[in-house]
Amino acid sequence: MTTVLPDTIYAIQHLAFEDLGSLEDVIYQLGYRVRYFEAGVDDLSKAMQHTGLVIILGGPIGIYETEDYPFLQKEIDLLKVRLENNLPTLGICLGAQLIAHALDAKVYAGHSKEIGWSELQLANVTENILAPLAEVPVLHWHGDTFDLPENSTLLASSTVYPNQAFSYGKNILALQFHIEAEAYAMEKWFIGHTCELRKADIHIPSLRAESQQYAPALAQVVPQILQQFIQRLDCK
């Protein structure tokens, strides 16, 4: 039976150029509309109370930086209520860290930056929603990591960090990596994150070449994952 969702999917953005990327076209193809909310600018109450799917996107700040970015605490408080109500939620990078934190797992600075393209190690679980990513490199771009929340299911790891993706029931999915990355849009990331890239001693021409090489294959499997996630949602 097809899941019936409200006709608009909400996306919470923490940085202008970190948008839905390749997910946006898939959302339109599935017959949904998109509405963006800007964290730190817009009131996120409406987004977090939305009974349809909400996608929480990435950003360069940490969930523990609430003193410098007071809006984060409000976002976390709203997210906790959302997850308690089991409302459909997909978190990417910072979004995944926010979900982990809202589920009372520890989120903290990792031992090293993980920036670049590499394959995931998929967990051997029944009907792993990330199965289409087998042997498909994904974009990693983070310095923080998280412990696995209690009662969640680990879906993927990398050689650098063990917790790269988890589900929490049918309605909540957290991805530490960037499934939405598009080759043509990556130049905005290289410009916007230049300080982070240089501090981490990342060779930008190599990262650009990897993005051109791997992003198209990633975009090919994104529709399968998003559609499957929507079809699995338990919406009442």
Side-chain angles (χ1 to χ4, degrees):
M1 184 172 65
T2 303
T3 299
V4 178
L5 286 176
D7 62 4
T8 302
I9 291 175
Y10 289 177
I12 297 176
Q13 231 175 342
H14 297 90
L15 194 61
F17 58 79
E18 291 198 26
D19 54 24
L20 285 166
S22 63
L23 291 172
E24 191 156 347
D25 283 342
V26 178
I27 289 169
Y28 293 140
Q29 290 164 9
L30 293 174
Y32 298 97
R33 296 180 295 179
V34 170
R35 178 176 176 182
Y36 281 99
F37 288 79
E38 298 288 344
V41 178
D42 298 328
D43 181 357
L44 299 184
S45 299
K46 182 174 182 179
M48 289 296 192
Q49 294 165 5
H50 182 47
T51 57
L53 177 58
V54 171
I55 302 176
I56 307 174
L57 297 166
I61 58 179
I63 63 96
Y64 42 79
E65 296 183 89
T66 53
E67 183 176 348
D68 289 336
Y69 304 100
F71 75 85
L72 270 174
Q73 189 58 58
K74 177 67 172 177
E75 183 174 3
I76 290 166
D77 293 342
L78 289 168
L79 179 57
K80 285 183 177 181
V81 175
R82 178 174 184 81
L83 300 185
E84 287 171 0
N85 291 325
N86 198 33
L87 295 175
T89 309
L90 167 61
I92 296 174
C93 199
L94 174 59
Q97 295 161 15
L98 285 163
I99 289 174
H101 179 68
L103 292 173
D104 297 322
K106 183 180 178 182
V107 180
Y108 48 96
H111 54 77
S112 64
K113 290 280 187 180
E114 185 177 27
I115 300 177
W117 293 78
S118 66
E119 295 179 17
L120 295 165
Q121 301 161 1
L122 299 180
N124 185 19
V125 296
T126 304
E127 297 183 347
N128 191 331
I129 195 169
L130 300 183
L133 291 176
E135 300 182 357
V136 178
V138 299
L139 177 63
H140 304 275
W141 199 310
H142 67 106
D144 288 352
T145 188
F146 50 78
D147 292 339
L148 203 62
E150 187 176 353
N151 297 321
S152 65
T153 301
L154 178 68
L155 300 177
S157 305
S158 76
T159 57
V160 182
Y161 289 106
N163 298 327
Q164 284 285 349
F166 67 86
S167 59
Y168 187 81
K170 293 182 178 180
N171 290 358
I172 298 161
L173 179 63
L175 309 176
Q176 176 65 82
F177 53 90
H178 289 275
I179 197 173
E180 82 284 10
E182 291 181 292
Y184 84 93
M186 290 309 301
E187 202 64 31
K188 294 184 290 185
W189 290 50
F190 305 149
I191 296 168
H193 290 306
T194 183
C195 293
E196 180 183 23
L197 290 171
R198 297 194 187 285
K199 187 175 181 180
D201 199 26
I202 300 296
H203 188 246
I204 296 174
S206 296
L207 184 57
R208 180 182 293 112
E210 288 182 355
S211 299
Q212 293 293 327
Q213 179 181 356
Y214 297 126
L218 177 61
Q220 289 295 313
V221 301
V222 165
Q224 301 174 50
I225 295 170
L226 184 60
Q227 185 169 13
Q228 189 175 18
F229 179 55
I230 290 175
Q231 288 175 341
R232 288 186 184 184
L233 293 175
D234 181 15
C235 297
K236 296 179 180 179

